[in-house]
Amino acid sequence: MSDKTTIHDIASMLRVTASTVSRALNDHPKISDATKRRVLTAAKKLNYQPNNIAAALRQGKSKVVGVLVPTIDRHYFSSVIHSIEAVLNDAGYHVIVAQSHDSPELERAKLKALMQAQVAGIILSFAKQNTDFEHFKDIIDRDIPLILFDRYHESLEVDTVVIDDYIGAYKATEHLIENGCTSIVHFTSTSQISIYKERKRGYIDALQRHGIAVQDELIWESHLTLEDGFELGNRLLSESKAVDGVFSASDFAAIGAMQAIKDQKGNMVRPIKFFGFSNETFTQFIDPPLSSVDQLSHSTGEMVAHRFLERIQHPHQKSLTMQKTVLTPKLCIRSSSQK
Amino acid sequence: MSDKTTIHDIASMLRVTASTVSRALNDHPKISDATKRRVLTAAKKLNYQPNNIAAALRQGKSKVVGVLVPTIDRHYFSSVIHSIEAVLNDAGYHVIVAQSHDSPELERAKLKALMQAQVAGIILSFAKQNTDFEHFKDIIDRDIPLILFDRYHESLEVDTVVIDDYIGAYKATEHLIENGCTSIVHFTSTSQISIYKERKRGYIDALQRHGIAVQDELIWESHLTLEDGFELGNRLLSESKAVDGVFSASDFAAIGAMQAIKDQKGNMVRPIKFFGFSNETFTQFIDPPLSSVDQLSHSTGEMVAHRFLERIQHPHQKSLTMQKTVLTPKLCIRSSSQK
DNA sequence: GAATTTTATGCAATCGATTGTTTCAGGATA
DNA sequence: TATCCTGAAACAATCGATTGCATAAAATTC
């Protein structure tokens, strides 16, 4: 039979009421052990599968958490989601995935849809060009736990899990200096986005701390794509300056540049050391393997999931105690940056 | 206010009943245009957000589709999910993601959990060591659309979307032959898994069709990891045979082997051409860029999503008309395999 | 043995939306 | 004017599980 059995079926089979069955299944203390056992046996016999939707309706909360990211199709995000799913599943939650495609409008629409699905919480890395955060108010007002990761904004009084871009950049730059680089170019993107601002700040501070003058003409801005990197690589070759190191805020731009240089190896005066950011899967496979700052996607996902579970278990504290977790990224040092 | 407004609030505001409001919102023909307009205005005014859970309970079906994959943390799967999500979202569905971690037990547990969440359908690429498909019966018996992709089994009378591994392998091997290879090694894994069996079959047929003798000692079995590939690469170097081509059923094994060969370049008698499978992101970044068979993750995701929507719209046809969609994979030819 | 507390269930309302079946008022028809 | 339609909205049941409150039976106390 495909007819789903309900607690009422169990109830009538046992000549008790549905409330008793419900309580028995939920291990309510006021139900006798004998009845609990009978209910459990009957449930198994009838192949009873609880209807979570009914419970969710009654309780006003489902066991589903919405995760909204720009795109799932990038290693960092899918890796974070991987960890979130693993942790939340063990806690009895499901994960709904939605993508904003970096569009604020889509983001708003998807958030609305998630709310309508009565999610128990929302985990979010928001769209790039977000300027207005009004739509988060709705979530907070309804006391639905909201956790941000990767991308966030200072103005938001919300739990956040990020890596310390500044430290990562600082250490990467320092590593280049310690490996003999004295003239280091920085590939960056618009300072509108905090992660790039922070990475630039780390780069600058590292130089200064090591007594190297910061030169604006060594800070190159682009969209940091592979193609951008390729152009920047050619620019490196044509520069009169004796650049001997590159700290790129993106792995893609870094390997684009390395590609350009390899293509014209003859022109190289001296070798240029490279350090990237994100530790994309391919960094270890290219030639030479690219040193990179690892964003700790695994830990981030776990932290985010745990933060959510804490919120769910202590809903009373509300937004009063917003927590910002900052993970220190890890340098993955490979041959591209070493002597 | 964080109090959610319901159709009853709208109803009492307008002095009509909830049923009228419900029908108005659903654009029911028996509701006058005037009322519809009034309801819509009131809904907007009260910031009404429908409670999907309540609707799902009443209708016995939610607008959520469960996607169960071995892991989301691999490019192929996250890419497929990316496309599924995009298509199903436009159709008003959500996507729940779950991972089986290639464990049949976990797979069964997650399927059960998805059923309890009252999903409208299930999209699945099942765990490797699956031998028993009893747990799918449940899904089918309940008339819940079930779509398999990537991995499947002939015994299952279920909609399926796969790529033609045989053709992909055949064409890749043929490409190597056309580029001058006469002694081609094949990296494979256990023939228990149909995709590897098919790829081997394609390799063998291509050789025969081109008058090249198939030699069992040129078919090398492993788990196809990067490390396995590295070992196989060393074996290539030490082999007395004059191997001049490798068709690997996995990109990872291919680049592992290429790595090993690069490490000992001096020993190379003649260059070996490589062809991989899966078209992982990194294939284009390594040196030389690796030719590979693309698995069409994007198309697969779209096909799967559309197949689901068809099933949902024509539930009557049941399993009678099981459809198997076979996509022809695309060769991505790069320099690793060319003269 | 009566009174009181405990324990284990039953009863009934509820969550919010949907839907088959009336009901009613106004219009058309004879 | 009486009858019949018909369109529009009301009524009421329902989906399945949960839960505050009431209650009966058993256990305890005096």
Side-chain angles (χ1 to χ4, degrees):
Chain A
M1 292 317 124
S2 80
D3 302 341
K4 328 110 199 169
T5 90
T6 73
I7 52 172
H8 294 94
D9 300 327
I10 302 180
S12 63
M13 179 182 186
L14 260 40
R15 297 175 177 283
V16 294
T17 48
S19 24
T20 302
V21 175
S22 171
R23 291 193 172 100
L25 290 172
N26 289 308
D27 203 23
H28 187 107
K30 294 233 164 179
I31 298 293
S32 71
D33 291 343
T35 320
K36 281 181 187 167
R37 251 176 279 119
R38 289 174 61 218
V39 168
L40 253 23
T41 323
K44 190 152 291 173
K45 190 173 199 170
L46 296 178
N47 187 29
Y48 168 72
Q49 305 282 80
N51 183 330
N52 289 342
I53 294 240
L57 174 58
R58 182 62 229 261
Q59 298 174 330
K61 281 280 165 70
S62 72
K63 283 288 206 173
V64 174
V65 175
V67 176
L68 178 54
V69 292
T71 174
I72 188 189
D73 200 9
R74 255 186 47 204
H75 182 252
Y76 173 72
F77 290 119
S78 62
S79 178
V80 171
I81 294 174
H82 175 100
S83 301
I84 292 175
E85 204 267 348
V87 174
L88 291 190
N89 253 249
D90 286 346
Y93 285 87
H94 290 288
V95 169
I96 280 192
V97 168
Q99 308 177 93
S100 68
H101 297 282
D102 262 327
S103 142
E105 284 163 54
L106 256 181
E107 177 172 300
R108 223 158 304 166
K110 301 258 175 158
L111 279 179
K112 197 167 164 188
L114 288 176
M115 302 282 283
Q116 289 179 5
Q118 312 296 123
V119 291
I122 289 182
I123 292 171
L124 173 70
S125 174
F126 58 64
K128 264 188 185 172
Q129 304 99 330
N130 249 330
T131 49
D132 157 32
F133 302 106
E134 270 308 303
H135 48 303
F136 296 160
K137 286 270 167 63
D138 241 20
I139 305 173
I140 298 167
D141 282 351
R142 291 205 194 182
D143 271 339
I144 294 179
L146 171 65
I147 324 274
L148 302 181
F149 73 95
D150 186 42
R151 306 184 187 168
Y152 74 106
H153 198 271
E154 289 86 359
S155 74
L156 291 167
E157 289 276 317
V158 172
D159 283 340
T160 303
V161 178
V162 291
I163 60 155
D164 192 332
D165 285 281
Y166 170 80
I167 291 285
Y170 183 93
K171 294 205 292 189
T173 309
E174 187 167 59
H175 167 88
L176 287 173
I177 297 170
E178 285 167 352
N179 275 267
C181 297
T182 56
S183 177
I184 303 173
V185 162
H186 177 43
F187 293 176
T188 185
S189 183
T190 168
S191 303
Q192 299 282 60
I193 302 178
S194 71
I195 57 176
Y196 297 122
K197 197 166 71 183
E198 287 300 291
R199 291 174 196 177
K200 195 203 296 188
R201 202 162 64 80
Y203 158 80
I204 290 175
D205 276 14
L207 292 185
Q208 292 181 330
R209 205 73 57 92
H210 285 268
I212 300 178
V214 176
Q215 303 175 58
D216 279 351
E217 62 268 29
L218 291 186
I219 298 177
W220 298 356
E221 195 173 313
S222 73
H223 292 300
L224 297 174
T225 64
L226 189 69
E227 291 72 25
D228 291 330
F230 196 84
E231 283 180 29
L232 296 178
N234 284 323
R235 182 165 158 201
L236 280 172
L237 291 169
S238 59
E239 282 279 319
S240 50
K241 309 249 183 203
V243 172
D244 55 8
V246 170
F247 167 53
S248 170
S250 146
D251 284 336
F252 286 94
I255 67 164
M258 288 165 72
Q259 200 67 51
I261 290 173
K262 265 195 280 187
D263 285 359
Q264 320 192 12
K265 216 178 272 171
N267 300 345
M268 280 285 283
V269 182
R270 59 165 121 176
I272 298 181
K273 295 186 174 39
F274 277 88
F275 215 108
F277 212 110
S278 288
N279 198 24
E280 297 281 349
T281 318
F282 56 75
T283 50
Q284 53 185 305
F285 298 139
I286 62 170
D287 182 35
L290 175 63
S291 297
S292 190
V293 181
D294 187 88
Q295 289 180 288
L296 306 180
S297 52
H298 187 65
S299 311
T300 301
E302 290 189 337
M303 287 297 309
V304 166
H306 286 127
R307 190 65 75 238
F308 162 78
L309 291 173
E310 282 168 27
R311 280 291 170 203
I312 277 289
Q313 275 145 29
H314 310 290
H316 44 286
Q317 301 183 358
K318 289 209 172 186
S319 50
L320 294 172
T321 52
M322 177 270 250
Q323 288 190 44
K324 182 172 169 186
T325 305
V326 180
L327 303 174
T328 301
K330 213 183 70 207
L331 296 195
C332 288
I333 295 171
R334 307 200 175 86
S335 46
S336 74
S337 66
Q338 295 180 291
K339 300 191 191 188
Chain B
M1 293 318 122
S2 80
D3 301 341
K4 327 110 200 171
T5 91
T6 72
I7 52 172
H8 294 94
D9 301 326
I10 302 180
S12 63
M13 179 181 185
L14 261 40
R15 295 174 179 283
V16 296
T17 48
S19 26
T20 301
V21 175
S22 171
R23 292 197 168 96
L25 290 172
N26 290 310
D27 204 23
H28 188 106
K30 293 236 161 177
I31 298 293
S32 70
D33 291 344
T35 319
K36 281 181 188 166
R37 251 177 278 118
R38 289 174 61 219
V39 168
L40 253 23
T41 323
K44 190 152 291 174
K45 190 176 202 169
L46 297 178
N47 186 31
Y48 168 72
Q49 305 281 80
N51 183 331
N52 288 342
I53 295 241
L57 175 59
R58 180 64 228 260
Q59 297 174 327
K61 280 279 165 71
S62 71
K63 282 289 204 171
V64 173
V65 176
V67 175
L68 178 54
V69 293
T71 175
I72 187 189
D73 199 10
R74 256 187 46 204
H75 182 253
Y76 174 72
F77 290 120
S78 62
S79 178
V80 170
I81 294 174
H82 174 101
S83 301
I84 292 175
E85 204 268 346
V87 174
L88 291 191
N89 253 249
D90 287 346
Y93 285 87
H94 290 288
V95 169
I96 278 192
V97 168
Q99 307 177 92
S100 68
H101 296 283
D102 261 329
S103 141
E105 285 162 54
L106 256 181
E107 176 172 300
R108 223 159 303 165
K110 302 259 175 156
L111 279 179
K112 198 167 163 187
L114 289 176
M115 301 283 283
Q116 289 179 5
Q118 313 296 122
V119 292
I122 289 182
I123 292 171
L124 173 70
S125 174
F126 58 65
K128 264 187 185 173
Q129 304 98 330
N130 249 330
T131 49
D132 157 31
F133 303 106
E134 270 309 301
H135 47 303
F136 295 161
K137 287 269 166 66
D138 243 19
I139 305 172
I140 298 166
D141 283 350
R142 292 207 194 181
D143 271 338
I144 295 180
L146 171 65
I147 325 274
L148 302 181
F149 74 94
D150 187 43
R151 306 184 185 167
Y152 73 108
H153 197 271
E154 290 87 359
S155 74
L156 290 167
E157 289 276 316
V158 172
D159 283 341
T160 303
V161 178
V162 290
I163 61 156
D164 192 331
D165 285 281
Y166 169 81
I167 290 286
Y170 183 93
K171 292 204 293 190
T173 309
E174 187 167 59
H175 167 86
L176 287 173
I177 297 171
E178 286 168 351
N179 276 267
C181 297
T182 55
S183 177
I184 303 173
V185 161
H186 177 43
F187 293 174
T188 185
S189 182
T190 169
S191 302
Q192 297 283 61
I193 302 177
S194 73
I195 57 176
Y196 298 122
K197 197 165 74 185
E198 286 301 290
R199 291 174 196 176
K200 194 203 296 188
R201 203 163 63 80
Y203 158 80
I204 290 174
D205 276 14
L207 291 185
Q208 292 180 331
R209 205 74 57 90
H210 286 269
I212 299 179
V214 176
Q215 304 174 57
D216 279 351
E217 61 270 28
L218 291 186
I219 299 178
W220 299 355
E221 195 172 311
S222 73
H223 292 301
L224 296 174
T225 64
L226 188 69
E227 291 73 25
D228 290 331
F230 196 83
E231 283 179 31
L232 296 178
N234 284 322
R235 182 166 160 199
L236 279 171
L237 291 169
S238 59
E239 282 278 319
S240 52
K241 309 249 182 202
V243 172
D244 55 9
V246 170
F247 166 55
S248 170
S250 146
D251 284 336
F252 286 95
I255 66 163
M258 288 165 73
Q259 200 67 51
I261 291 174
K262 265 195 280 186
D263 285 358
Q264 320 191 11
K265 215 178 273 170
N267 300 344
M268 279 284 285
V269 181
R270 59 164 121 176
I272 299 181
K273 295 185 174 38
F274 278 88
F275 215 107
F277 211 110
S278 289
N279 198 25
E280 298 282 349
T281 317
F282 57 75
T283 49
Q284 53 186 305
F285 298 139
I286 63 171
D287 180 35
L290 175 63
S291 296
S292 190
V293 181
D294 188 89
Q295 288 180 287
L296 306 179
S297 52
H298 187 65
S299 311
T300 301
E302 289 189 338
M303 286 297 308
V304 166
H306 285 127
R307 189 67 74 238
F308 162 78
L309 291 173
E310 282 170 26
R311 281 291 171 201
I312 276 290
Q313 276 146 30
H314 310 290
H316 43 287
Q317 301 182 0
K318 290 210 175 186
S319 50
L320 292 172
T321 51
M322 178 270 250
Q323 287 191 43
K324 182 172 169 186
T325 305
V326 180
L327 303 174
T328 302
K330 213 183 68 204
L331 295 194
C332 289
I333 296 171
R334 308 201 174 87
S335 46
S336 75
S337 66
Q338 294 180 291
K339 300 190 193 190

